[in-house]
Amino acid sequence: METKNLISVEEEHIILLLQKGYSNQTISKETGISVNTVKYHLKKIFKKLHARNRIEAINNFNKTLKNIPL
């Protein structure tokens, strides 16, 4: 199963904001969700993308867009 299909629309939006270098607080303001909910989504994103941090999550997400196996 392709990883991109596991990412929800909201999680994808958060990843795109991560790519801009936004903090959890800024992501919270941009999306209208609490900082705790941002953190919750980040945990789910990291797990789905097999990432330990924001940079790995962004890189792994971009790889899935290019259909490169993780």
Side-chain angles (χ1 to χ4, degrees), residues 23-29 31-42:
S23 67
N24 290 353
Q25 291 77 17
T26 304
I27 293 170
S28 171
K29 289 176 187 172
T31 58
I33 60 177
S34 74
V35 173
N36 284 335
T37 303
V38 171
K39 290 177 184 179
Y40 172 75
H41 282 300
L42 288 175

Side-chain angles (χ1 to χ4, degrees), residues 9-35:
V9 173
E10 189 171 31
E11 291 167 344
E12 186 171 349
H13 186 214
I14 290 171
I15 292 170
L16 296 175
L17 296 175
L18 283 180
Q19 288 178 325
K20 294 181 178 183
Y22 287 8
S23 67
N24 290 353
Q25 291 77 17
T26 304
I27 293 170
S28 171
K29 289 176 187 172
E30 288 287 320
T31 58
I33 60 177
S34 74
V35 173

